[in-house]
Amino acid sequence: MICIDIPQRGIIELQHAVFDVNGTLAIDGMPIPGVVDRLKALGEDLSLHALTAGTHGNIAELERIIGFPFHIIGSGEEKTRYVEQLGPAHVIAFGNGMNDVGMLRLAAIGVAILAGEGAAMGALQAADVLALGPVDAIDLVLNPKRLVATLRG
C-alpha cells in the first residue's frame, strides 16, 4: 500500500495500479523502454493490473516481458467495472484512450499518459494528472511527493 496525504483532498490509500496496455505501457505492441523496471518496483507496494483489448495480438509475449498477467477487456465500460470491483478509493488508473475515460474518472487518482500513440481529449479531461509517458507516470507513484505537489488544492 502507498498512502498519500494530499492537502485539501485528504489521505489516499492506494492498493492497486490499473493500466491500459497499448498506448500506455506499450507502443505498437512493444513495451516502452524503462517500463518493465518501474513496474517491478511499483509491484512491491501495489497490486498491478493490466487491461487490454489485445489490439496487436501479442498478449502472451507482452505478459512475459512485462511480468504479470493481462486481463482481456473489450470496452471502456468493462474497464470501469473492473476498477469498481477493486474499490475505486484504493486505485490509481493509467490510460490514454477514450475507452479509459470511465476508469480514469472513477479511480482515486487518474493519470493520462501522453506517449507515441497520443492521448484522447476525453482521457485528458477525465484524469487528475497528465504524464509524458509511462516512466514519468509510474515515477509519480514511486515518488508520491510529486503527486502531492501536483494535486494539492
Side-chain angles (χ1 to χ4, degrees):
M1 181 183 331
I2 296 174
C3 291
I4 306 171
D5 188 1
I6 301 172
Q8 287 81 44
R9 191 164 178 175
I11 296 172
I12 298 173
E13 296 178 349
L14 296 175
Q15 297 174 2
H16 307 280
V18 177
F19 295 90
D20 168 57
V21 176
N22 289 301
T24 300
L25 296 177
I27 298 293
D28 298 328
M30 295 305 299
I32 294 171
V35 163
V36 174
D37 292 336
R38 296 303 196 298
L39 288 171
K40 185 178 285 189
L42 189 61
E44 293 177 13
D45 295 312
L46 301 178
S47 66
L48 306 180
H49 307 263
L51 310 180
T52 184
T55 303
H56 296 282
N58 61 335
I59 295 169
E61 179 184 359
L62 266 177
E63 283 179 326
R64 182 185 58 73
I65 295 168
I66 288 182
F68 61 95
F70 292 3
H71 302 277
I72 307 303
I73 301 291
S75 69
E77 292 82 21
E78 289 180 68
K79 288 182 174 185
T80 303
R81 278 195 299 277
Y82 191 93
V83 169
E84 283 174 354
Q85 291 171 355
L86 291 174
H90 302 289
V91 172
I92 184 165
F94 302 83
N96 75 314
M98 284 304 294
N99 66 351
D100 300 321
V101 168
M103 75 170 187
L104 291 172
R105 188 172 287 128
L106 182 62
I109 301 174
V111 181
I113 307 286
L114 180 59
E117 201 175 278
M121 286 302 296
L124 297 175
Q125 293 168 337
D128 297 294
V129 178
L130 169 64
L132 296 177
V135 170
D136 288 343
I138 296 167
D139 281 350
L140 287 172
V141 188
L142 294 173
N143 302 285
K145 288 185 180 179
R146 294 179 186 179
L147 280 172
V148 171
T150 300
L151 295 176
R152 69 178 43 218

